[in-house]
Every structure is written in C-alpha cells, then in structure tokens.
Amino acid sequence: MPMTASQVCVIIAARNAAGTIPAAIASALREPEVAEVVVVDDASTDDTGHVARAADDGSGRLSVMRLDVNRGPSFARNAAIAGSRSPFLSILDADDFFLEGRFRTLFASADWDFAADNIMLIRDDTATDVSKIVAPSFSADPEFLDFERFIEGNISRRRVQRGELGFLKPVISRAFLDRHGLRYDENLRLGEDYELYARAVACGARFKVIRSCGYGAIVRADSLSGRHKTQDLKRLADADLALLEIESLPEGSKAVLRRHERHVRDKYRLRNFLDVKAERGMASAAAYALASQSNLFPIVWGVAADKLDALFRHAGLSSKQQQVPPLRFLMAGTSAVAEK
C-alpha cells in the first residue's frame, strides 16, 4: 500500500437476492483494486446464482459458489475466505454497492489491519440507478477505534437513528485474520460482523475509520438482517460472554462489554416474553417475566416504552429522530451536512 495491483477479494453472501445482486457485482468489478469477486449463493430459492453469473464482465474475476443448505452469512463468508487468495477481504451485502474509487481512498495509507469508511444509507423507496449515485465530499478525519470505543458504539438507543459501528464494512487484512486464527462465528446470524471486529480489536487490530464515504447501503424494511429470530439475540449476548473470557482485556474494556451484553440480553428477554405471549398466552408470559428480576425489569420497561411510542405515533407526536430521511450517513459528524 499504496496499492500497485489488484489485491482485494470482494465477498458477497447472497440469499434470494436476484433483484439486487447485479448492481452489487457491477460496483465491485468496476474497482481496479478488486482481484476477485466471490458470490456465495446461500441456498437461494430464486435465480440468484444464475443472475450473479450473468453479471460477469468477462475479466475472469467473478466466481459463484452454491450452498445447497442455508447456513447463514457467517458460514458463507468463511467459505468464500477459504476459497479465495487475495491478501485483503471486503464484505459487500447483496443489496448494497460500492461507490466508485472506494478502495483507492482506503488504500491511500498502510497503517491499518481493518479500514472502514462511512456508509451512505439510502431508503429503498428513493433509490434509483445506484451506479449514478455520488456521495458528497467529506474530510476523511481518520481515527482508530480502540476496544471500548468500538463496543460503546454498538449500544443502540431508543428514538435515535441506528448507527452502530458493527454496521461498518471494513477492508480486512487476511494476514491479520490468519495470524490470530480469526473467522466469522458460524453460530451467529445476527451481529456476526460485530463479533469478528470486537475479537480482532481485542487481539490488537489497528481498526481505522475515515468519514469520507465509499459504501452505499439500501435500507429495506424486508431485509434479512431486519428479520432476525429471538434466539439470534441470545446467541449474540452469549458471544459477548465468550469475549469476556479473553484474559488480556483490561477491566475497563470488560465493563463496557458487560453493558453491551446486558443491552442485547434485555432485548432478548423482551422479545422472548412477546413470543411466549403469542404462542402460549398471557399467563405463561407473565410467569416468564416474574421468574426473575433480570427478566422483569427489561420486560416492564420495554413494554411501557413500546406503548408510549405507539401513543405518540397515534397522537402525531413522533420525534423527528424517528422519521428516517431518504439519505443519511452512518457515522456522526456527516449526517448534519448531508441532510441539509
């Protein structure tokens, strides 16, 4: 770095993404730094695999793998890592796209193991031809994320537009992953990026972020990431407990990690309460809530907050923050500029 040859493998895990994957593939093949685009068709029931192959530009850089059983994004990405050779890896969701020149900007310096840029979040009902979308110009303002800053940046808050740092899509050094034996946790179908990044930073990864924008994400109400199961929340909270076993973590880092674990676990308890209520009735749900204070407090608070939000919406008093704009940016510091 700066790069003189194509050295990036773009990994696209796809399930039932026939309508969006051509644009994703085209945006990756457009970048001269990209040596490989590996699409993993995760047991799609539509024409994802066929459509992906049809998006080949003839350069020999595209390959498509097919999984006959749906195994989730972590398994699919690990399969792509194992089947590729480039020294740098870049994850691209099947309904997202790269902005032109993304890798040129990220590879302008060589002082990182993970390098992420800002994400342009575009509401799906306003997205048109993504190949023509250009981000406003922002100062890079580079910074490095330490463990506590990263974990803290993944604790969401009610009535605040989501912008967790686990949503970032960094370019990743394969050498760093191999040196520390890191891969995606295949038990996770939610928060798999967060867990990998957290474990990497705990291992000493230099995680650089810049505020200039090179990644476009289409925000869809029916996206796979928005349809996670209740047990996915429990697995993510359990992953935090596993991270707490890292002996080298200082106590301050562990304290922030415990906060994140409680945050996710409380979401799980509320979702599980609602599931029990729907499946077995209010009496069973109440028994679950009253089984412990650990259950009761987040359930009572969550139900009350949900009802209050519903009341505000009915009265037309929803906060401005709840109204998702057509275009915004993930990292603070640019959204105010972009939405003027």
Side-chain angles (χ1 to χ4, degrees), residues 18-319:
T20 60
I21 201 166
I25 293 172
S27 75
L29 292 173
R30 178 176 59 187
E31 299 300 295
E33 297 83 2
V34 172
E36 304 172 87
V37 177
V38 180
V39 174
V40 183
D41 178 3
D42 195 6
S44 295
T45 58
D46 68 359
D47 290 333
T48 292
H50 174 75
V51 170
R53 290 183 183 90
D56 195 346
D57 66 350
S59 65
R61 292 178 292 164
L62 176 68
S63 62
V64 180
M65 304 169 58
R66 164 76 183 180
L67 302 179
D68 292 330
V69 177
N70 176 247
R71 302 291 295 272
S74 292
F75 184 95
R77 291 171 180 175
N78 285 343
I81 293 171
S84 61
R85 62 188 182 277
S86 299
F88 295 97
L89 307 167
S90 180
I91 303 300
L92 176 61
D93 287 345
D95 53 356
D96 294 342
F97 62 97
F98 295 139
L99 292 161
E100 189 169 2
R102 184 202 192 207
F103 295 110
R104 181 176 63 249
T105 301
L106 289 174
F107 281 102
S109 65
D111 54 350
W112 51 264
D113 302 299
F114 286 57
D117 47 11
N118 211 342
I119 296 180
M120 176 188 287
L121 299 158
I122 306 160
R123 208 170 61 201
D124 65 340
D125 60 350
T126 62
T128 54
D129 184 353
V130 299
S131 67
K132 298 179 180 178
I133 294 176
V134 178
S137 178
F138 298 118
S139 173
D141 293 335
E143 64 174 309
F144 286 87
L145 298 177
D146 61 18
F147 188 85
E148 293 177 27
R149 166 83 171 84
F150 176 72
I151 301 298
E152 182 71 32
N154 284 282
I155 300 176
S156 60
R157 293 164 179 81
R158 277 184 175 269
R159 289 182 292 278
V160 174
Q161 289 174 356
R162 297 191 66 184
E164 291 95 319
L165 296 179
F167 290 164
L168 293 173
K169 290 291 189 289
V171 179
I172 302 170
S173 164
R174 182 193 295 270
F176 184 90
L177 296 185
D178 290 347
R179 188 161 61 246
H180 296 278
L182 297 177
R183 290 296 187 268
Y184 285 94
D185 184 342
E186 294 178 7
N187 291 316
L188 298 178
R189 289 182 178 244
L190 171 71
E192 67 280 352
D193 293 312
Y194 156 82
E195 195 276 342
L196 178 68
Y197 305 164
R199 193 169 291 277
V201 175
C203 289
R206 300 166 298 171
F207 196 130
K208 185 176 185 177
V209 295
I210 61 174
R211 295 185 185 278
S212 53
C213 187
Y215 189 101
I218 307 299
V219 181
R220 303 178 190 278
D222 62 346
S223 68
L224 290 176
S225 61
R227 302 202 302 268
H228 60 265
K229 298 178 181 178
T230 300
Q231 286 301 311
D232 293 334
L233 286 165
K234 182 179 185 300
R235 293 188 186 98
L236 181 56
D238 290 344
D240 276 339
L241 296 182
L243 288 168
L244 282 167
E245 298 299 316
I246 299 175
E247 294 182 359
S248 60
L249 282 181
E251 187 51 43
S253 296
K254 290 185 177 182
V256 176
L257 189 54
R258 291 187 190 99
R259 282 187 55 213
H260 186 268
E261 188 273 334
R262 288 195 299 270
H263 170 71
V264 178
R265 188 83 62 183
D266 285 351
K267 286 185 175 181
Y268 160 72
R269 287 166 173 146
L270 176 59
R271 281 277 299 268
N272 200 42
F273 167 82
L274 296 173
D275 288 349
V276 172
K277 179 183 175 184
E279 294 168 7
R280 302 202 297 271
M282 189 62 201
S284 294
Y288 169 74
L290 295 170
S292 70
Q293 289 186 345
S294 297
N295 287 352
L296 183 61
F297 290 159
I299 289 170
V300 170
W301 168 252
V303 169
D306 286 346
K307 290 187 177 298
L308 188 61
D309 286 347
L311 180 62
F312 282 164
R313 286 195 298 271
H314 182 71
L317 300 174
S318 296
S319 69

